[in-house]
Amino acid sequence: MTHAHAPTTPRSTLVVTAHAGDFVWRAGGAIALAAARGEKVTIACLTFGERGESARAWREGKDLAQIKALRRDEAERAAAILGAEVRFFDAGDYPLLPTPELTDRLVALYRETQPDVVLTHPADDPYNGDHPAAHRMALEARILAQALGYPADGEVIGAPPVFYFEPHQPEMSGFRPEVLLDITEVWETKRKAMECLAAQRHLWDYYTDLAVRRGVQLRRNAGPNLGLAHRTLAEAYMRPYPQIAKELA
């Protein structure tokens, strides 16, 4: 007699980003790795980056509606390459401002996706106020989604670990590369996703070089005998909450 195995729910990753391109530059490797393992990855894109991160399109004479459509198309194509689903909140950038409605929508997404891991911006970025704003909203919604009394649909969530991805100016933003994630096996996927973002073409080489530098640091901290590829590429993350473990590793 055979017994049917109960279906297992795949792990879930939730990525909360301020602008349409942020998830690609900063966490594209982590997203692609999770998707390759069969995990569910959902990206909450709070704005299209239409005002502050689309200078090339403005110079070409496009209007606001055209730029939003352009950035939406770029982000959808990039997310599809990485293996993720992207949800657009269209909350408006420069500035990105918190509202009760936006908070409710984020809480609902937390409860819907039941994330095992959350990726978002770090707390500081003196060059772009939208990034800290998205950070605050992501953490507040995570806390509210745990509250039984908060009026939102869905089951309350647990306490998923949070990882901050690297800002564009890490030295000026108090960022420390506490976690180095080997993305070598999905690098070509990330690069293809980056190349979807023609509105920010000037960042393609920057984030390629950054992956190489973080890969060098990964090899240096991993030791010489782990069989790492000679050209290792990596992404860097910080952790705001304690790591829970039964043994030190």
Side-chain angles (χ1 to χ4, degrees):
M1 180 177 179
T2 60
H3 297 275
H5 293 284
T8 58
T9 301
R11 281 173 55 86
S12 171
T13 295
L14 177 61
V15 186
V16 182
T17 68
H19 309 112
D22 294 339
F23 69 89
V24 183
W25 313 120
R26 294 161 169 80
I31 292 168
L33 283 170
R37 294 190 296 265
E39 300 176 16
K40 169 78 171 171
V41 184
T42 308
I43 301 160
C45 188
L46 300 184
T47 83
F48 295 110
E50 64 272 14
R51 297 187 184 278
E53 305 215 336
S54 304
R56 181 176 179 179
W58 285 107
R59 292 192 185 102
E60 291 172 351
K62 293 182 172 60
D63 62 26
L64 184 62
Q66 291 172 321
I67 293 171
K68 284 186 176 184
L70 170 69
R71 299 313 308 271
R72 182 186 189 109
D73 176 68
E74 290 181 350
E76 286 178 337
R77 288 188 288 114
I81 287 171
L82 296 173
E85 177 190 5
V86 59
R87 308 277 188 96
F88 298 102
F89 284 64
D90 194 12
D93 70 329
Y94 276 63
L96 169 60
L97 300 174
T99 65
E101 178 189 14
L102 187 55
T103 298
D104 285 347
R105 292 173 66 190
L106 270 175
V107 171
L109 186 59
Y110 268 96
R111 290 189 175 180
E112 175 191 342
T113 59
Q114 294 288 312
D116 297 285
V117 173
V118 176
L119 309 180
T120 194
H121 299 271
D124 297 318
D125 188 338
Y127 295 94
N128 193 318
D130 288 357
H131 296 157
H135 155 88
R136 292 190 296 272
M137 285 183 257
L139 265 59
E140 180 183 24
R142 174 182 174 275
I143 293 169
L144 295 175
Q146 298 175 55
L148 282 167
Y150 189 83
D153 292 337
E155 296 294 324
V156 297
I157 67 169
V162 177
F163 292 85
Y164 296 160
F165 39 66
E166 185 165 4
H168 189 65
Q169 300 281 354
E171 300 88 351
M172 301 300 295
S173 303
F175 183 86
R176 289 172 52 86
E178 297 171 344
V179 178
L180 293 168
L181 179 68
D182 188 344
I183 63 168
T184 309
E185 67 183 84
V186 295
W187 168 250
E188 293 303 323
T189 301
K190 177 173 179 175
R191 177 70 193 202
K192 288 177 183 176
M194 286 166 51
E195 291 175 0
C196 292
L197 305 178
Q200 294 178 287
R201 189 187 185 107
H202 60 285
L203 295 178
W204 294 1
D205 288 343
Y206 176 89
Y207 280 99
T208 297
D209 292 343
L210 179 61
V212 172
R213 293 198 304 275
R214 293 308 187 196
V216 170
Q217 293 174 333
L218 186 152
R219 291 200 308 273
R220 175 64 182 84
N221 285 278
N225 300 312
L226 297 185
L228 295 174
H230 178 68
R231 185 173 187 264
T232 304
L233 297 109
E235 289 173 346
Y237 295 86
M238 287 179 65
R239 298 196 65 165
Y241 299 114
Q243 178 179 348
I244 305 304
K246 292 186 177 180
E247 63 182 49
L248 295 179

